[in-house]
Amino acid sequence: LSYSQDVDLKLTEYLKDVKPVIEENHMYIRIASNDFFSVSRDVVSRMIAGEYDAAQAFAAGKLDALPMIKDLPSLEIVKSSPAAAVKISASRQWRELLFNTKSPLLQNRDFRLALQKGIDSKGFAASDLSGLPSADLDLHMGSHVLLPYQKGYIDNSPPVNGKLARKDLAELGYTWNEKTQYFEKDGEVLTLSYLRITGVPTSENEGQKLQEQLQKIGVALEMKDISAGEFQAALAAGEYDITSVTWLFTPYPLSGIGQLYASNNTADGAAANLNFTGYANSALDTYIWKIAREADELKKLVYAEELDNLLWKEGISIPLYYRANITGVHKRLANYGATALETFLPENIGFLPEI
């Protein structure tokens, strides 16, 4: 059977809680052969045990496809398989640098804008994607609310100007130390921290790139290392100065823009949605409210651009780049591969005969 039909299944105590949802939404339970389940269980259990990662599972023939390859080592492992083909497209994923506006130094809007002038987002893409097929593509993202290939996208990103960034920091009361090449105040070097996920190449690389760029404008950046399992809790609690994250847009990105930028915090200041910057602004909330309620698409896009311009002027985050979807597939797997907003029809997917 492809799907269960009129099958009376005995649910566990946990699943009994979701039974009304299953019935209301007409959800079905897939019936798989014992052989299929055995292979799936073997792949998952060995990955959990750390015997191999997803790229190694693909190369070993345990997976037929591996989407969103993000680093060169994984790509090289995938390409080591003689059965592999690599496909590339745009994607819905994008990287963003977050400023914690509750942090003592970053509470100051002028200070955040000074940093923003010294951070070149294009440098992050070139560094993160080095060696990948997407390295030569223009993946720059100059909007907080739309991806470059989506209708209404406008690049509103301000120009990078390190000289002006240093001038602004001096006007904020920081003193340049010619010997150390850093700004100081009260004898202390101007220092921020970056929340870095250990063992994650993208996070480690972006921390290093940010450190290099801030050093050029006289700001020291220390690494605050944390495990991947601890990152989400630290992010939600605001236990950082600067960090970088991956967001995932949908075909309808404006429908959920309030999750990222609306003022919504608990009494203790922790993020109650995905606005991990901790920033609250009634003007931003007004635009989000207008976007959510406007039926006219063109008016909605006008509000979105005005919202984006306001976000740049407040300096709470910096979009870095959007990712290309680099996907490894079995070379005989037809009608499946890399995609952004499109959906592959399951009935068209299958294996070509061996030649």
Side-chain angles (χ1 to χ4, degrees):
L1 295 176
S2 296
Y3 287 90
S4 56
Q5 298 178 2
D6 300 321
V7 178
D8 184 21
L9 295 172
K10 294 182 179 180
L11 301 178
T12 64
E13 289 299 319
Y14 173 76
L15 288 177
K16 286 179 180 178
D17 294 334
V18 299
K19 185 176 181 181
V21 179
I22 294 175
E23 293 176 345
E24 180 182 350
N25 293 282
H26 306 288
M27 298 170 68
Y28 299 91
I29 296 176
R30 180 80 177 189
I31 304 298
S33 68
N34 287 337
D35 290 341
F36 178 86
F37 177 73
S38 176
V39 171
S40 300
R41 182 177 59 184
D42 175 64
V43 173
V44 173
S45 62
R46 291 181 66 180
M47 288 176 66
I48 292 175
E51 294 183 30
Y52 51 46
D53 59 20
Q56 292 167 330
F58 177 89
K62 301 296 184 180
L63 299 176
D64 296 319
L66 181 63
M68 293 306 302
I69 299 171
K70 304 179 183 68
D71 56 80
L72 184 58
S74 295
L75 178 62
E76 290 177 339
I77 292 173
V78 167
K79 292 172 69 174
S80 70
S81 169
V86 176
K87 302 184 179 182
I88 185 170
S89 74
S91 84
R92 295 180 292 146
Q93 288 190 12
W94 56 287
R95 296 288 292 173
E96 185 173 41
L97 206 62
L98 304 182
F99 293 153
N100 180 6
T101 63
K102 302 288 185 172
S103 177
L105 290 175
L106 293 165
Q107 289 179 12
N108 187 321
R109 171 180 172 271
D110 291 335
F111 182 79
R112 298 194 303 268
L113 291 178
L115 297 184
Q116 182 174 273
K117 292 171 185 173
I119 297 174
D120 181 7
S121 62
K122 294 181 180 179
F124 287 81
S127 181
D128 281 354
L129 306 176
S130 179
L132 293 175
S134 55
D136 296 328
L137 301 178
D138 181 8
L139 301 176
H140 170 69
M141 190 165 169
S143 170
H144 296 79
V145 296
L146 289 168
L147 290 164
Y149 56 82
Q150 292 180 310
K151 182 178 180 180
Y153 169 85
I154 296 176
D155 185 350
N156 293 312
S157 58
V160 178
N161 190 326
K163 184 177 180 180
L164 189 56
R166 290 189 292 271
K167 178 177 179 293
D168 289 350
L169 290 172
E171 291 178 352
L172 287 170
Y174 295 97
T175 303
W176 178 257
N177 187 319
E178 190 64 35
K179 183 176 180 180
T180 64
Q181 297 289 294
Y182 286 111
F183 278 103
E184 297 178 353
K185 180 176 281 190
D186 300 326
E188 298 290 332
V189 174
L190 177 54
T191 305
L192 295 168
S193 67
Y194 174 83
L195 189 62
R196 178 175 63 180
I197 308 175
T198 55
V200 176
T202 302
S203 180
E204 293 178 342
N205 185 71
E206 289 174 357
Q208 180 181 351
K209 179 57 62 176
L210 181 62
Q211 188 178 55
E212 294 171 358
Q213 292 192 1
L214 290 184
Q215 184 180 23
K216 292 179 181 179
I217 63 170
V219 180
L221 186 70
E222 296 178 343
M223 297 298 128
K224 182 179 180 181
D225 288 336
I226 196 168
S227 69
E230 300 170 314
F231 180 74
Q232 186 70 22
L235 191 63
E239 298 172 355
Y240 73 99
D241 284 336
I242 306 176
T243 194
S244 49
V245 297
T246 298
W247 297 124
L248 182 66
F249 269 166
T250 72
Y252 317 100
L254 298 181
S255 63
I257 204 65
Q259 295 182 47
L260 301 186
Y261 304 115
S263 306
N264 186 12
N265 294 79
T266 60
D268 61 359
N273 54 8
L274 299 178
N275 181 6
F276 298 123
T277 67
Y279 185 73
N281 184 318
S282 59
L284 288 176
D285 293 337
T286 298
Y287 277 117
I288 292 168
W289 184 89
K290 288 181 178 180
I291 290 170
R293 287 157 180 77
E294 180 56 61
D296 185 276
E297 183 183 14
L298 293 180
K299 290 182 180 179
K300 190 187 289 281
L301 291 175
V302 169
Y303 291 145
E305 185 189 358
E306 292 174 354
L307 170 63
D308 184 47
N309 276 313
L310 184 55
L311 287 167
W312 282 113
K313 290 176 182 177
E314 294 302 313
I316 65 172
S317 62
I318 301 177
L320 297 177
Y321 63 92
Y322 73 101
R323 281 178 168 147
N325 181 2
I326 303 171
T327 297
V329 297
H330 192 290
K331 63 183 180 182
R332 290 195 295 109
L333 184 61
N335 299 320
Y336 190 83
T339 182
L341 302 178
E342 302 82 7
T343 299
F344 294 112
L345 297 177
E347 61 267 30
N348 293 338
I349 302 171
F351 282 90
L352 298 173
E354 293 189 43
I355 299 177

